Amino acid sequence: QLELVESGGGLVEAGGSLRLSCSASGRTLSGLTMAWFRQAPGKDRRFVARIQWTNANTDYDDSAKGRFTISRDNGKNTVFLQMNSLKPEDTAVYYCAAVRNLASRRAYYSGANYGAWGQGTQVTVSS
């Protein structure tokens, strides 16, 4: 069974940077897509970015494009989310998730399609 553990959250001032990590264990990540979602207080969980493990293809929500970068370390079974130019509206709990590669690009944007989740890590951006 795939286990995901996030780390790297914290408190940062607006304009600052954080790097989140998601360590995966329990099975091979080949054939999977890894993603980051976030959930702000009182709001639904929302897709942020994803990376296909085998070929490293990436995709981003518009809110993340140009500021966030998702990457992976094959040897360490770890996915990263580098977040730059952070804004107060980026404040949320960030979750790592995994899904078998899907046929539709839009399907990746729905958390309901993901079968494995981490416990989440809090990111707070002060103004």
Side-chain angles (χ1 to χ4, degrees):
Q1 184 172 349
L2 184 62
E3 181 179 3
L4 304 175
V5 179
E6 302 99 332
S7 61
L11 173 64
V12 64
E13 291 184 352
S17 298
L18 281 175
R19 188 173 86 151
L20 306 183
S21 299
C22 172
S23 178
S25 62
R27 59 150 287 172
T28 177
L29 300 185
S30 176
L32 299 185
T33 289
M34 306 296 293
W36 288 95
F37 284 75
R38 65 186 181 186
Q39 187 167 20
K43 296 189 177 181
D44 293 334
R45 194 172 300 188
R46 186 183 176 98
F47 170 83
V48 177
R50 66 174 177 92
I51 185 167
Q52 197 163 339
W53 192 261
T54 302
N55 59 20
N57 282 348
T58 59
D59 187 21
Y60 297 88
D61 181 71
D62 286 345
S63 65
K65 287 178 182 175
R67 299 188 301 127
F68 295 2
T69 302
I70 189 170
S71 62
R72 60 147 173 58
D73 184 326
N74 243 328
K76 295 183 178 180
N77 271 11
T78 301
V79 178
F80 304 99
L81 186 67
Q82 177 67 43
M83 304 186 295
N84 299 328
S85 302
L86 282 162
K87 306 174 182 179
E89 51 263 45
D90 294 318
T91 295
V93 178
Y94 283 71
Y95 296 91
C96 179
V99 63
R100 294 184 184 274
N101 292 337
L102 301 171
S104 163
R105 176 181 175 184
R106 286 178 59 88
Y108 287 110
Y109 301 155
S110 172
N113 293 323
Y114 289 74
W117 292 85
Q119 81 288 351
T121 185
Q122 176 70 46
V123 171
T124 303
V125 184
S126 63
S127 57

